[in-house]
Amino acid sequence: MLKAFHEPSFWVSVISVAIAIIALFQSNKQIRISNKQSLFDRRLEKYLIAKDLLNLFENNRKHIVDDKNLHFSLSLQFSWLTNTTYLCDMIFAINEPLDTEKQNILLSKCEMLEKYATEINVLWDNDAGEAVGNFIRAYKVLLFKLYQQKVFVNTFDEYNKKQNGITELKITGDEIQKKLKKMQIITVYTKQ
């Protein structure tokens, strides 16, 4: 046994094992650092998205709470609330409601917002993460409700066009507003 200590191959083996163990610890440390960097990158991306949505809502809230003329400005309000690079494709859906391709884009962007909300809840496992996640979900609902209202208003417009001037059957803007309130669509985002 003592002879083995005097053999150079024994020491080469011991040194190789020691270097391998040190390399394992170093790799483990690098993996942890990489995971922290990845988590930071994901958190930063979601933070910037949430910040953009909060700013959009804050900057445009005064315009969207005026429900008296809501049915006349749905497209404009929708465009204000989707004025970001990752939501801008949604504007085409409000301009041409029920167009399948554009509606699919709207639905995929709504799903993306839902995914962001869930990721934020997981990435920040605290009250702030939950509050921001809930805000993004409410933002998604707001956008979808505006879209639904646009479909509703366009349906009434088509109905009015088909009546060809029979004024007693025409539906007025006030009637649209009453029907929208009955459906409780506009109350989602008019509450402050």
Side-chain angles (χ1 to χ4, degrees):
M1 180 80 178
L2 289 175
K3 249 177 160 189
F5 289 123
H6 296 289
E7 293 285 326
S9 62
F10 171 77
W11 289 109
V12 169
S13 298
V14 169
I15 290 172
S16 296
V17 169
I19 289 173
I21 290 171
I22 291 170
L24 281 173
F25 282 115
Q26 188 65 24
S27 294
N28 189 23
K29 183 179 177 183
Q30 284 301 116
I31 289 170
R32 282 192 310 240
I33 290 171
S34 176
N35 286 345
K36 284 182 181 180
Q37 181 63 41
S38 176
L39 179 63
F40 173 77
D41 291 344
R42 289 180 69 192
R43 282 183 171 180
L44 180 62
E45 176 191 4
K46 300 311 180 253
Y47 168 79
L48 292 174
I49 289 169
K51 182 178 160 256
D52 284 348
L53 293 178
L54 283 165
N55 285 338
L56 275 175
F57 183 75
E58 185 60 35
N59 293 337
N60 297 301
R61 179 177 19 196
K62 61 184 170 278
H63 301 295
I64 61 174
V65 297
D66 176 22
D67 64 351
K68 186 170 180 99
N69 296 312
L70 178 67
H71 56 282
F72 295 115
S73 60
L74 288 170
S75 298
L76 182 60
Q77 292 172 354
F78 192 85
S79 67
W80 287 333
L81 293 171
T82 56
N83 192 21
T84 65
T85 55
Y86 47 91
L87 293 179
C88 63
D89 295 340
M90 293 174 86
I91 191 64
F92 301 115
I94 199 84
N95 291 334
E96 297 177 49
L98 299 179
D99 178 284
T100 305
E101 183 181 324
K102 291 168 178 79
Q103 188 177 25
N104 286 341
I105 292 171
L106 173 99
L107 294 173
S108 69
K109 295 293 183 174
C110 285
E111 288 174 12
M112 179 191 72
L113 288 174
E114 182 64 34
K115 178 183 168 206
Y116 287 164
T118 302
E119 281 187 70
I120 286 172
N121 283 345
V122 171
L123 289 173
W124 287 280
D125 191 20
N126 56 26
D127 291 340
E130 185 177 342
V132 173
N134 288 340
F135 169 77
I136 291 176
R137 280 187 188 90
Y139 202 89
K140 175 197 76 160
V141 168
L142 169 63
L143 293 176
F144 195 71
K145 293 292 184 179
L146 283 171
Y147 175 76
Q148 287 177 322
Q149 288 179 10
K150 182 66 173 178
V151 170
F152 187 74
V153 168
N154 282 4
T155 302
F156 279 125
D157 285 346
E158 287 175 24
Y159 173 78
N160 281 339
K161 286 177 187 174
K162 288 179 184 176
Q163 296 307 312
N164 290 330
I166 305 173
T167 55
E168 62 270 10
L169 294 178
K170 284 195 170 196
I171 300 170
T172 66
D174 290 335
E175 291 175 52
I176 292 173
Q177 196 64 34
K178 288 176 189 173
K179 292 199 181 289
L180 288 174
K181 283 191 180 199
K182 266 188 185 176
M183 293 173 60
Q184 295 181 341
I185 292 175
I186 61 173
T187 58
V188 170
Y189 64 90
T190 57
K191 294 179 183 175
Q192 293 182 0

mmCIF file of all heavy atoms in Angstrom, residues 56-74:
data_model
loop_
_atom_site.group_PDB
_atom_site.id
_atom_site.type_symbol
_atom_site.label_atom_id
_atom_site.label_comp_id
_atom_site.label_asym_id
_atom_site.label_seq_id
_atom_site.Cartn_x
_atom_site.Cartn_y
_atom_site.Cartn_z
ATOM 1 N N LEU A 56 -49.832 52.863 -20.566
ATOM 2 C CA LEU A 56 -50.884 53.032 -21.571
ATOM 3 C C LEU A 56 -52.227 53.271 -20.916
ATOM 4 O O LEU A 56 -52.988 54.157 -21.314
ATOM 5 C CB LEU A 56 -50.979 51.796 -22.463
ATOM 6 C CG LEU A 56 -50.043 51.713 -23.647
ATOM 7 C CD1 LEU A 56 -50.190 50.371 -24.341
ATOM 8 C CD2 LEU A 56 -50.311 52.828 -24.625
ATOM 9 N N PHE A 57 -52.531 52.465 -19.908
ATOM 10 C CA PHE A 57 -53.822 52.613 -19.241
ATOM 11 C C PHE A 57 -53.907 53.950 -18.526
ATOM 12 O O PHE A 57 -54.919 54.657 -18.638
ATOM 13 C CB PHE A 57 -54.055 51.462 -18.260
ATOM 14 C CG PHE A 57 -55.402 51.535 -17.614
ATOM 15 C CD1 PHE A 57 -56.535 51.188 -18.332
ATOM 16 C CD2 PHE A 57 -55.551 51.963 -16.308
ATOM 17 C CE1 PHE A 57 -57.796 51.265 -17.762
ATOM 18 C CE2 PHE A 57 -56.809 52.038 -15.723
ATOM 19 C CZ PHE A 57 -57.930 51.691 -16.452
ATOM 20 N N GLU A 58 -52.861 54.305 -17.810
ATOM 21 C CA GLU A 58 -52.875 55.575 -17.068
ATOM 22 C C GLU A 58 -53.001 56.763 -18.014
ATOM 23 O O GLU A 58 -53.761 57.701 -17.751
ATOM 24 C CB GLU A 58 -51.598 55.704 -16.228
ATOM 25 C CG GLU A 58 -51.581 56.924 -15.339
ATOM 26 C CD GLU A 58 -52.715 56.961 -14.329
ATOM 27 O OE1 GLU A 58 -53.124 55.902 -13.824
ATOM 28 O OE2 GLU A 58 -53.215 58.069 -14.040
ATOM 29 N N ASN A 59 -52.290 56.737 -19.126
ATOM 30 C CA ASN A 59 -52.329 57.847 -20.078
ATOM 31 C C ASN A 59 -53.667 57.951 -20.806
ATOM 32 O O ASN A 59 -54.029 59.030 -21.272
ATOM 33 C CB ASN A 59 -51.206 57.725 -21.102
ATOM 34 C CG ASN A 59 -49.845 57.913 -20.478
ATOM 35 O OD1 ASN A 59 -49.713 58.523 -19.427
ATOM 36 N ND2 ASN A 59 -48.832 57.374 -21.107
ATOM 37 N N ASN A 60 -54.396 56.854 -20.912
ATOM 38 C CA ASN A 60 -55.629 56.849 -21.704
ATOM 39 C C ASN A 60 -56.895 56.627 -20.891
ATOM 40 O O ASN A 60 -57.976 56.593 -21.454
ATOM 41 C CB ASN A 60 -55.524 55.781 -22.795
ATOM 42 C CG ASN A 60 -54.418 56.098 -23.756
ATOM 43 O OD1 ASN A 60 -54.420 57.136 -24.393
ATOM 44 N ND2 ASN A 60 -53.440 55.219 -23.837
ATOM 45 N N ARG A 61 -56.747 56.494 -19.589
ATOM 46 C CA ARG A 61 -57.920 56.226 -18.752
ATOM 47 C C ARG A 61 -58.971 57.321 -18.883
ATOM 48 O O ARG A 61 -60.154 57.037 -18.979
ATOM 49 C CB ARG A 61 -57.520 56.065 -17.291
ATOM 50 C CG ARG A 61 -58.724 55.809 -16.430
ATOM 51 C CD ARG A 61 -58.494 55.564 -14.981
ATOM 52 N NE ARG A 61 -57.251 55.995 -14.443
ATOM 53 C CZ ARG A 61 -56.802 55.575 -13.281
ATOM 54 N NH1 ARG A 61 -57.492 54.709 -12.591
ATOM 55 N NH2 ARG A 61 -55.664 56.013 -12.810
ATOM 56 N N LYS A 62 -58.551 58.553 -18.926
ATOM 57 C CA LYS A 62 -59.526 59.662 -19.007
ATOM 58 C C LYS A 62 -60.350 59.590 -20.290
ATOM 59 O O LYS A 62 -61.480 60.028 -20.323
ATOM 60 C CB LYS A 62 -58.810 60.999 -18.886
ATOM 61 C CG LYS A 62 -57.810 61.280 -19.962
ATOM 62 C CD LYS A 62 -57.075 62.587 -19.708
ATOM 63 C CE LYS A 62 -55.910 62.777 -20.644
ATOM 64 N NZ LYS A 62 -54.712 62.092 -20.262
ATOM 65 N N HIS A 63 -59.786 59.004 -21.348
ATOM 66 C CA HIS A 63 -60.514 58.895 -22.611
ATOM 67 C C HIS A 63 -61.489 57.719 -22.622
ATOM 68 O O HIS A 63 -62.521 57.792 -23.273
ATOM 69 C CB HIS A 63 -59.546 58.723 -23.779
ATOM 70 C CG HIS A 63 -58.571 59.845 -23.908
ATOM 71 N ND1 HIS A 63 -58.940 61.142 -24.206
ATOM 72 C CD2 HIS A 63 -57.227 59.869 -23.758
ATOM 73 C CE1 HIS A 63 -57.874 61.902 -24.234
ATOM 74 N NE2 HIS A 63 -56.819 61.162 -23.972
ATOM 75 N N ILE A 64 -61.155 56.660 -21.909
ATOM 76 C CA ILE A 64 -62.003 55.472 -22.006
ATOM 77 C C ILE A 64 -63.109 55.424 -20.954
ATOM 78 O O ILE A 64 -63.987 54.591 -21.051
ATOM 79 C CB ILE A 64 -61.187 54.167 -21.953
ATOM 80 C CG1 ILE A 64 -60.436 54.035 -20.638
ATOM 81 C CG2 ILE A 64 -60.262 54.065 -23.123
ATOM 82 C CD1 ILE A 64 -59.744 52.719 -20.458
ATOM 83 N N VAL A 65 -63.067 56.304 -19.974
ATOM 84 C CA VAL A 65 -64.134 56.282 -18.977
ATOM 85 C C VAL A 65 -65.332 57.125 -19.381
ATOM 86 O O VAL A 65 -66.350 57.107 -18.710
ATOM 87 C CB VAL A 65 -63.652 56.697 -17.569
ATOM 88 C CG1 VAL A 65 -62.636 55.728 -17.043
ATOM 89 C CG2 VAL A 65 -63.088 58.106 -17.577
ATOM 90 N N ASP A 66 -65.224 57.834 -20.494
ATOM 91 C CA ASP A 66 -66.351 58.615 -20.994
ATOM 92 C C ASP A 66 -67.276 57.667 -21.750
ATOM 93 O O ASP A 66 -67.154 57.471 -22.947
ATOM 94 C CB ASP A 66 -65.851 59.735 -21.918
ATOM 95 C CG ASP A 66 -66.999 60.516 -22.541
ATOM 96 O OD1 ASP A 66 -68.114 60.487 -21.980
ATOM 97 O OD2 ASP A 66 -66.782 61.132 -23.590
ATOM 98 N N ASP A 67 -68.227 57.059 -21.025
ATOM 99 C CA ASP A 67 -69.077 56.041 -21.651
ATOM 100 C C ASP A 67 -70.275 56.635 -22.383
ATOM 101 O O ASP A 67 -71.029 55.932 -23.010
ATOM 102 C CB ASP A 67 -69.525 54.993 -20.639
ATOM 103 C CG ASP A 67 -70.415 55.554 -19.550
ATOM 104 O OD1 ASP A 67 -70.555 56.784 -19.470
ATOM 105 O OD2 ASP A 67 -70.966 54.752 -18.784
ATOM 106 N N LYS A 68 -70.433 57.958 -22.344
ATOM 107 C CA LYS A 68 -71.565 58.576 -23.029
ATOM 108 C C LYS A 68 -71.455 58.425 -24.548
ATOM 109 O O LYS A 68 -72.431 58.178 -25.232
ATOM 110 C CB LYS A 68 -71.678 60.057 -22.648
ATOM 111 C CG LYS A 68 -72.904 60.732 -23.191
ATOM 112 C CD LYS A 68 -73.069 62.107 -22.592
ATOM 113 C CE LYS A 68 -74.303 62.773 -23.142
ATOM 114 N NZ LYS A 68 -75.437 62.686 -22.279
ATOM 115 N N ASN A 69 -70.255 58.566 -25.064
ATOM 116 C CA ASN A 69 -70.031 58.461 -26.510
ATOM 117 C C ASN A 69 -69.169 57.246 -26.848
ATOM 118 O O ASN A 69 -68.471 57.240 -27.857
ATOM 119 C CB ASN A 69 -69.363 59.737 -27.035
ATOM 120 C CG ASN A 69 -70.262 60.933 -26.862
ATOM 121 O OD1 ASN A 69 -71.439 60.875 -27.203
ATOM 122 N ND2 ASN A 69 -69.721 62.004 -26.313
ATOM 123 N N LEU A 70 -69.218 56.259 -26.025
ATOM 124 C CA LEU A 70 -68.357 55.092 -26.170
ATOM 125 C C LEU A 70 -68.504 54.411 -27.518
ATOM 126 O O LEU A 70 -67.518 54.087 -28.176
ATOM 127 C CB LEU A 70 -68.664 54.088 -25.052
ATOM 128 C CG LEU A 70 -67.881 52.789 -25.091
ATOM 129 C CD1 LEU A 70 -66.417 53.068 -24.832
ATOM 130 C CD2 LEU A 70 -68.427 51.834 -24.059
ATOM 131 N N HIS A 71 -69.717 54.215 -27.960
ATOM 132 C CA HIS A 71 -69.938 53.459 -29.189
ATOM 133 C C HIS A 71 -69.407 54.169 -30.421
ATOM 134 O O HIS A 71 -69.223 53.557 -31.457
ATOM 135 C CB HIS A 71 -71.420 53.111 -29.348
ATOM 136 C CG HIS A 71 -72.331 54.292 -29.318
ATOM 137 N ND1 HIS A 71 -72.676 54.904 -28.148
ATOM 138 C CD2 HIS A 71 -72.927 54.973 -30.312
ATOM 139 C CE1 HIS A 71 -73.482 55.920 -28.405
ATOM 140 N NE2 HIS A 71 -73.650 55.987 -29.716
ATOM 141 N N PHE A 72 -69.161 55.481 -30.327
ATOM 142 C CA PHE A 72 -68.628 56.222 -31.471
ATOM 143 C C PHE A 72 -67.103 56.172 -31.536
ATOM 144 O O PHE A 72 -66.540 56.489 -32.571
ATOM 145 C CB PHE A 72 -69.085 57.679 -31.433
ATOM 146 C CG PHE A 72 -70.567 57.826 -31.596
ATOM 147 C CD1 PHE A 72 -71.335 58.330 -30.563
ATOM 148 C CD2 PHE A 72 -71.199 57.444 -32.774
ATOM 149 C CE1 PHE A 72 -72.716 58.465 -30.701
ATOM 150 C CE2 PHE A 72 -72.568 57.577 -32.917
ATOM 151 C CZ PHE A 72 -73.328 58.085 -31.876
ATOM 152 N N SER A 73 -66.448 55.817 -30.447
ATOM 153 C CA SER A 73 -64.986 55.906 -30.417
ATOM 154 C C SER A 73 -64.301 54.604 -30.013
ATOM 155 O O SER A 73 -63.190 54.625 -29.517
ATOM 156 C CB SER A 73 -64.569 57.018 -29.460
ATOM 157 O OG SER A 73 -65.043 56.739 -28.154
ATOM 158 N N LEU A 74 -64.954 53.488 -30.208
ATOM 159 C CA LEU A 74 -64.371 52.204 -29.806
ATOM 160 C C LEU A 74 -63.033 51.939 -30.485
ATOM 161 O O LEU A 74 -62.080 51.524 -29.837
ATOM 162 C CB LEU A 74 -65.340 51.063 -30.114
ATOM 163 C CG LEU A 74 -66.564 50.975 -29.228
ATOM 164 C CD1 LEU A 74 -67.554 49.968 -29.792
ATOM 165 C CD2 LEU A 74 -66.175 50.603 -27.823
#
